[in-house]
Amino acid sequence: MTKKRVLITGGAGFLGSHLCDRFLAERCHVIAMDNLITGSLENIEHLFHREDFEFYHHDVSKFVHVSGDLDYILHFASPASPIDYLKIPIQTLKVGSLGTHNLLGLAKAKGARMLIASTSEVYGDPLVHPQTEEYWGNVNPVGPRGVYDEAKRFQEAMTMAYHTYHGLETRIVRIFNTFGPRMRLDDGRVLPAFIGQALRGEDLTAFGDGSQTRSFCYVDDLIEGIYRLLMSDCVDPVNIGNPDEITINQFAEEIIKLTGSQSKIIYKPLPKDDPMQRQPNITKAKEVLGWEPKYSRNEGLKPTLEYFQNKVK
Ligand code: UDP
């Protein structure tokens, strides 16, 4: 039987590299593509010896060529932390818009099924809680997060248009906060920031008064949800995330306890448009995909902490 051929953009990133592992485990031939602006070869170093793995150093905002057949394309290339997309706003807009258009064109040419990585950021600072897929969101297009949020909203619209107009097979996953090994220690997101600070004995920087909430999903659960969505026939967006919601203050305390650190919590100004609450409603994922998270935050934090301990050393 010939292997399914899968293109994973952002393949050297946090989620992209875990997807490479998963599709190789499913006996697919994996082509990872990344411009390495926020991704790292370290995340896929263990795959280069394999004959069923290829890596292309390429920016998908430019024309994308892949020779041979493709069965699936998973578009995961994008800066994904608020610090990153503040630093590189134009690239963030381009990879979500031009990059998505290029890949949809490629999917159409190859007759491939395309899955795009969307985000809970499409809900902005949500006025509906928890967030269901039916909620249209509360996004500031010209605020600092606009470059990411609007690129992702455009990406969803473009993907849906290729589905309705060209009959392309498409899937849209709305990813909520996810954590695990291979996150970048310096990407500015709350989990690497807190773990890094705790391990170095520095104080943990909570933004605002720390009362804002997030709901953190362990990466293995997320990858399973994405895989199931790709294999399903669900064209409408599906939330994948862990509904276990906590405040940033509680999260800081958890990290201090877990690391056995003497660090205290200190407070810094809340970044503009920082969502006050976020929790996925995963009813649809349960019903359509038979999926729900299996790992508690505490179970996921163990391997994550081990990973960061090696990095901080
Ligand atoms: N945050 C914080 N301290 C940090 C980094 C982030 O208190 O050092 C807060 C941030 O203001 C936000 C939450 O943690 O309310 C999650 O931030 P993150 O950047 O991880 O992702 P977001 O969910 O905002 O996209």
Side-chain angles (χ1 to χ4, degrees), residues 176-250:
F176 283 67
N177 293 69
T178 301
F179 71 97
R182 301 187 196 156
M183 286 185 102
R184 245 172 52 223
L185 192 54
D186 65 347
D187 79 357
R189 276 187 277 206
V190 68
L191 183 136
F194 281 179
I195 293 186
Q197 288 161 344
L199 291 178
R200 290 188 297 260
E202 298 165 8
D203 290 335
L204 274 61
T205 52
F207 296 162
D209 63 5
S211 66
Q212 69 273 35
T213 69
R214 292 295 185 272
S215 310
F216 297 96
C217 182
Y218 185 58
V219 63
D220 288 7
D221 279 329
L222 186 92
I223 298 296
E224 177 64 29
I226 290 169
Y227 188 80
R228 287 192 192 200
L229 175 60
L230 180 69
M231 296 307 157
S232 78
D233 55 9
C234 185
V235 171
D236 291 327
V238 180
N239 289 340
I240 299 285
N242 190 322
D244 185 5
E245 182 186 18
I246 52 165
T247 67
I248 294 304
N249 277 327
Q250 289 170 319

Side-chain angles (χ1 to χ4, degrees), residues 39-260:
S40 165
L41 288 180
E42 226 181 291
N43 292 335
I44 47 171
E45 199 61 59
H46 60 291
L47 302 177
F48 276 87
H49 71 280
R50 298 181 63 135
E51 285 191 349
D52 48 4
F53 178 77
E54 292 172 70
F55 175 73
Y56 291 4
H57 186 190
H58 182 67
D59 178 351
V60 299
S61 305
K62 313 244 162 64
F63 181 81
V64 182
H65 175 73
V66 174
S67 56
D69 294 337
L70 281 178
D71 297 285
Y72 306 118
I73 299 176
L74 291 95
H75 184 25
F76 277 69
S78 177
S81 85
I83 297 277
D84 283 346
Y85 45 78
L86 277 178
K87 249 190 264 171
I88 41 175
I90 314 282
Q91 282 102 324
T92 303
L93 278 160
K94 282 169 77 176
V95 73
S97 55
L98 307 182
T100 300
H101 189 206
N102 289 337
L103 292 160
L104 284 164
L106 181 68
K108 181 168 153 266
K110 302 279 186 188
R113 183 179 296 178
M114 167 106 170
L115 182 146
I116 59 149
S118 189
T119 164
S120 53
E121 282 284 323
V122 300
Y123 303 122
D125 191 0
L127 306 175
V128 166
H129 193 74
Q131 293 77 55
T132 60
E133 289 87 349
E134 284 66 41
Y135 179 48
W136 293 349
N138 176 38
V139 170
N140 175 3
V142 294
R145 289 176 178 252
V147 295
Y148 184 66
D149 300 7
E150 295 297 1
K152 290 292 185 183
R153 290 169 68 98
F154 173 89
Q155 181 183 46
E156 290 197 7
M158 189 71 158
T159 300
M160 208 40 107
Y162 264 69
H163 173 71
T164 49
Y165 187 73
H166 290 304
L168 191 74
E169 285 195 53
T170 55
R171 308 286 181 267
I172 300 173
V173 58
R174 290 190 181 147
I175 299 170
F176 283 67
N177 293 69
T178 301
F179 71 97
R182 301 187 196 156
M183 286 185 102
R184 245 172 52 223
L185 192 54
D186 65 347
D187 79 357
R189 276 187 277 206
V190 68
L191 183 136
F194 281 179
I195 293 186
Q197 288 161 344
L199 291 178
R200 290 188 297 260
E202 298 165 8
D203 290 335
L204 274 61
T205 52
F207 296 162
D209 63 5
S211 66
Q212 69 273 35
T213 69
R214 292 295 185 272
S215 310
F216 297 96
C217 182
Y218 185 58
V219 63
D220 288 7
D221 279 329
L222 186 92
I223 298 296
E224 177 64 29
I226 290 169
Y227 188 80
R228 287 192 192 200
L229 175 60
L230 180 69
M231 296 307 157
S232 78
D233 55 9
C234 185
V235 171
D236 291 327
V238 180
N239 289 340
I240 299 285
N242 190 322
D244 185 5
E245 182 186 18
I246 52 165
T247 67
I248 294 304
N249 277 327
Q250 289 170 319
F251 189 51
E253 277 159 20
E254 243 179 55
I255 299 291
I256 290 173
K257 198 165 155 217
L258 184 78
T259 52

